[in-house]
Amino acid sequence: MWQPSSPTTEAAPQSPPASRQGSIAIPAGDDRRLRNPGRRFGQIVRLKPEYVQEYKACHAQVWPEVLKQIRDCNIQDYSIWWDDKSGILFATFKYVGYDYAGDMERMAGNPKVREWWRMTDGYQESFVEGAVSSEAGEPAWWKPVEEVFYQP
């Protein structure tokens, strides 16, 4: 499985231009070509206690444009968990594309996504030193965490 050391510094493998199945060439773009098995991500941020209800309410009705952009940027199995004692939000997702940096640029280029980030960032406190917002880019607003065990 492809696993760059950092999703923003190491390029993902390029999508195969075509593959062969017996003696039949399968063109790129055909659904039968090899699919990226994906890379799992985990991230944390703290939810401010005074915004718990607002955060839950907005995530109960995520804007359709935001959901579409997430899918269009090759993100699957995205979930956010909350620990009421520590206030930590823990997000997990699987990236199944071949150009993480490019897909994240496309995500950040969507005005509705940026509006969503401005709203939800206001409910959160970043663990990343020097982080300003999700919109600002680097350093990242959500702190990446290391996966130490996974049983599929």
Side-chain angles (χ1 to χ4, degrees):
M1 178 187 297
W2 158 65
Q3 290 192 352
S5 57
S6 169
T8 56
T9 59
E10 186 175 312
Q14 294 301 307
S15 178
S19 61
R20 291 213 170 264
Q21 205 171 49
S23 62
I24 302 170
I26 300 171
D30 188 303
D31 286 341
R32 295 175 290 175
R33 68 186 174 135
L34 296 176
R35 300 193 117 191
N36 183 343
R39 175 163 185 244
R40 297 160 38 87
F41 287 82
Q43 305 171 316
I44 58 172
V45 75
R46 186 179 314 276
L47 180 59
K48 295 176 184 175
E50 64 270 26
Y51 291 111
V52 170
Q53 294 312 314
E54 290 92 334
Y55 193 81
K56 287 181 177 183
C58 72
H59 281 84
Q61 296 183 330
V62 178
W63 303 341
E65 302 91 341
V66 172
L67 294 174
K68 181 180 183 321
Q69 189 67 59
I70 289 169
R71 281 188 305 275
D72 289 351
C73 288
N74 297 300
I75 292 175
Q76 298 178 353
D77 298 327
Y78 190 5
S79 62
I80 299 174
W81 302 77
W82 175 60
D83 176 52
D84 63 338
K85 300 294 184 213
S86 67
I88 291 175
L89 292 169
F90 171 65
T92 64
F93 62 89
K94 186 183 342 180
Y95 177 71
V96 296
Y98 291 92
D99 180 11
Y100 184 85
D103 281 335
M104 296 308 99
E105 283 180 31
R106 285 190 316 128
M107 178 89 66
N110 183 316
K112 206 65 170 167
V113 169
R114 289 194 315 272
E115 182 181 347
W116 178 266
W117 287 345
R118 282 190 298 275
M119 176 182 67
T120 57
D121 283 2
Y123 304 149
Q124 304 164 347
E125 296 173 357
S126 179
F127 289 106
V128 179
E129 187 175 328
V132 176
S133 69
S134 294
E135 242 185 315
E138 293 298 323
W141 183 251
W142 283 71
K143 181 182 188 297
V145 293
E146 178 185 357
E147 182 175 67
V148 295
F149 176 78
Y150 174 61
Q151 173 60 48

